[in-house]
Amino acid sequence: SVGMPNPKWISIKNVNDSQIRQFCGDFEHPLIVKPLNSSGSRGVSHVENFSQLSGAIYEAQKNTNLNEILIEEFKFGTEYTVDFMVNNSLLTIFVITEKAKSNITTKTVSSVLRTLDPMTETGKKLQVFVEKITNIFSIKTGIFHLEAIVQND
């Protein structure tokens, strides 16, 4: 860990139900199950309890060619994306987008996207967060897309 908050997670491949229960035994519910290499929320499931876990794993495995999936604790809060560039260690944020999730898709797909004013309190906190990440990983140059959950606490 580099001191940045994140949910508990595991990456698994080719395991049975009892092994999954062992791996996830100390995780808080709900969980998110997703393919390791998919996009657009394909194969992503929001799981409320262990009885839903096998079906979610099957769905995730159908949507990956690596046969590896990620299981992580679901974090409640508002999801944001930050698109930014670092050039010679100078950070430029292009846009911060707030993502409202659809209840129809088990809270995994955005139904509304809103551009966030970077001068709001949340916008400023996200900018500080991005600055910390670029410093921790010594990022000097590149274009990036970061996704973050901002919790009320």
Side-chain angles (χ1 to χ4, degrees):
S1 171
V2 292
M4 302 305 289
N6 57 35
K8 289 181 189 174
W9 61 274
I10 58 167
S11 173
I12 59 173
K13 62 165 69 167
N14 301 324
V15 296
N16 62 41
D17 282 348
S18 64
Q19 290 171 310
I20 293 165
R21 286 180 187 273
Q22 179 184 352
F23 289 143
C24 298
D26 64 338
F27 281 25
E28 298 285 328
H29 281 86
L31 301 172
I32 293 292
V33 179
K34 56 187 171 183
L36 199 59
N37 67 332
S38 187
S39 62
S41 296
R42 285 184 295 275
V44 178
S45 298
H46 182 264
V47 174
E48 292 289 336
N49 54 56
F50 276 117
S51 66
Q52 299 172 334
L53 198 52
S54 292
I57 289 169
Y58 174 76
E59 191 62 32
Q61 287 176 325
K62 281 190 338 187
N63 286 280
T64 181
N65 59 0
L66 296 178
N67 198 30
E68 189 166 1
I69 63 169
L70 189 70
I71 300 174
E72 64 186 11
E73 290 179 336
F74 178 83
K75 290 299 182 184
F76 293 94
T78 305
E79 183 176 349
Y80 294 91
T81 61
V82 183
D83 294 307
F84 63 99
M85 174 180 75
V86 180
N87 188 14
N88 293 323
S89 300
L90 179 65
L91 172 66
T92 302
I93 294 180
F94 299 128
V95 66
I96 301 172
T97 305
E98 180 182 348
K99 299 167 85 175
K101 299 295 185 173
S102 170
N103 287 331
I104 296 170
T105 62
T106 64
K107 304 175 189 121
T108 61
V109 177
S110 298
S111 60
V112 177
L113 302 175
R114 291 186 278 281
T115 302
L116 180 71
D117 180 347
M119 299 311 292
T120 63
E121 182 180 346
T122 301
K124 290 176 183 177
K125 286 181 181 179
L126 285 166
Q127 181 168 341
V128 168
F129 185 70
V130 169
E131 288 169 351
K132 281 184 181 179
I133 290 171
T134 58
N135 289 332
I136 287 170
F137 292 103
S138 301
I139 297 172
K140 305 294 182 212
T141 302
I143 298 174
F144 303 91
H145 173 87
L146 176 130
E147 296 183 1
I149 303 288
V150 175
Q151 296 178 299
N152 293 333
D153 53 356

